[in-house]
Amino acid sequence: MNTTASTTTTNTSAAADERSKAARQAITPELRRWIIEQAQAGHPPPVVLQSMRDAGWDEDVATDALEITLQEHLNELAVQQGQPSGVPVPEPLLDESPARVDCGDRVVDVLLAMAQPRVVVFGNLLAPEECDALMAAAEPRMARSLTVATKTGGEEINADRTSDGMFFQRAETELIERIEQRIARLLNWPIENGEGLQVLHYRPGAEYKPHYDYFDPAEPGTATILRRGGQRVGTLVMYLNTPEKGGGTTFPDVHVEVAPQRGNAVFFSYDRPHAATRTLHGGAPVIAGEKWIATKWLREREFK
């Protein structure tokens, strides 16, 4: 066991907890009302945060107060609109805005972090030789990609998804097990709560049109799907190569596109199966070259 890493993680978590407590204590009804009014008026969080800093707030406490208030407000609106309640989700330790995260066997770069929707872009998650090994192991087992059929609980071909793919079993090889352990540490989520790693291959023109990764509660087959580990609550897309053109991961609701860079990854989480999570996303068409990715979906509970 790495005692130094464990102590650092404990200290980081304790510091974050103290800031969160201070933020909650500082959120008076007047401040909460003011933050909500700013959001309803269309002022983006960075502008509101700057106003709080200008008023003399400590930046860390102001950031926590802003995030707590907006998240609680969103949860209240969700309940009022009849949405399902939010659940715990995977979350990397980014409370102190680190440039890098120690994942035990590898140090991963933090390139971008968004709060709403929760999107984090990581650099250097996979080594070049790991990317090559994943593609080589997956290629002989490739077949037309399927999607989960929420009407039946099975799988089906979907015209919106024009890629080839395959699944590895959890810990199927030493390489897979090592990557899964790295992901679990990066996202603070148990290995057993993850589905098997899926590798996808997109040729020129192939794409995956915008969609959500959670399972629609209104579909008749969803109850069967959820028996295997509950809802999906997070997605990690790892880029195994860099296409010549196209192939980015798009988030249409917030007009963001993540470029597919070899070894990098994009993570996003969703605490309820609802469009309010703003996690609509897609794989843009590959214009030139080809795209290889590895996807890890994370469930609420142990995936069986």
Side-chain angles (χ1 to χ4, degrees):
M1 178 177 179
N2 188 331
T3 304
T4 302
S6 299
T7 302
T8 301
T9 300
T10 301
N11 291 341
T12 300
S13 300
D17 289 343
E18 287 303 316
R19 287 203 310 276
S20 181
K21 290 177 183 176
R24 288 185 178 278
Q25 291 169 357
I27 302 175
T28 63
E30 293 77 13
L31 175 61
R32 187 177 188 280
R33 184 164 52 250
W34 178 83
I35 290 175
I36 293 171
E37 287 173 352
Q38 301 310 301
Q40 291 174 335
H43 299 302
V47 173
V48 180
L49 180 60
Q50 185 60 53
S51 296
M52 295 176 73
R53 286 200 300 259
D54 292 343
W57 279 71
D58 173 81
E59 181 168 1
D60 287 337
V61 175
T63 299
D64 286 339
L66 183 61
E67 290 182 353
I68 289 168
T69 299
L70 292 179
Q71 189 58 57
E72 288 179 348
H73 181 58
L74 287 173
N75 289 340
E76 290 171 2
L77 291 177
V79 172
Q80 292 171 9
Q81 296 168 5
Q83 296 179 26
S85 300
V87 299
V89 297
E91 177 60 28
L93 290 175
L94 304 181
D95 298 303
E96 296 184 336
S97 300
R100 297 176 181 83
V101 177
D102 183 0
C103 295
D105 69 329
R106 191 170 184 82
V107 176
V108 177
D109 300 321
V110 180
L111 305 181
L112 175 146
M114 295 177 59
Q116 183 61 29
R118 187 49 164 161
V119 177
V120 183
V121 180
F122 296 107
N124 196 41
L125 176 59
L126 298 177
E129 57 270 21
E130 291 176 326
C131 294
D132 291 340
L134 282 173
M135 289 187 287
E139 190 165 21
R141 294 160 60 177
M142 284 289 176
R144 173 66 188 271
S145 296
L146 303 176
T147 58
V148 174
T150 50
K151 294 187 182 300
T152 64
E155 294 181 317
E156 62 185 1
I157 290 178
N158 188 329
D160 290 343
R161 190 181 203 183
T162 52
S163 62
D164 295 323
M166 57 77 65
F167 275 96
F168 289 105
Q169 295 296 315
R170 276 204 313 262
E172 180 175 326
T173 67
E174 184 277 332
L175 171 64
I176 298 298
E177 185 174 20
R178 183 172 73 245
I179 292 173
E180 288 172 338
Q181 289 175 349
R182 189 182 306 159
I183 292 170
R185 180 156 178 166
L186 176 67
L187 302 179
N188 294 297
W189 206 246
I191 289 177
E192 60 269 21
N193 289 23
E195 298 181 25
L197 197 67
Q198 183 186 45
V199 173
L200 295 171
H201 179 208
Y202 293 80
R203 295 180 175 84
E207 65 177 319
Y208 195 177
K209 293 181 180 178
H211 60 282
Y212 297 99
D213 280 352
Y214 55 73
F215 305 114
D216 186 348
E219 294 290 350
T222 294
T224 299
I225 297 168
L226 297 187
R227 283 200 286 268
R228 297 192 66 187
Q231 268 289 358
R232 285 177 175 167
V233 289
T235 302
L236 182 72
V237 178
M238 295 165 279
Y239 305 108
L240 306 183
N241 78 318
T242 304
E244 293 176 42
K245 294 181 182 179
T249 303
T250 62
F251 294 87
D253 286 349
V254 289
H255 309 290
V256 167
E257 180 170 345
V258 178
Q261 297 290 329
R262 177 179 169 94
N264 290 3
V266 59
F267 162 74
F268 51 99
S269 60
Y270 27 98
D271 68 348
R272 68 197 71 209
H274 196 276
T277 59
R278 305 178 78 188
T279 53
L280 183 70
H281 66 284
V286 176
I287 298 172
E290 58 184 9
K291 181 177 79 168
W292 287 81
I293 63 171
T295 301
K296 186 73 170 178
W297 284 294
L298 306 167
R299 296 288 192 103
E300 288 181 89
R301 302 184 297 277
E302 181 179 357
F303 180 71
K304 300 178 181 179

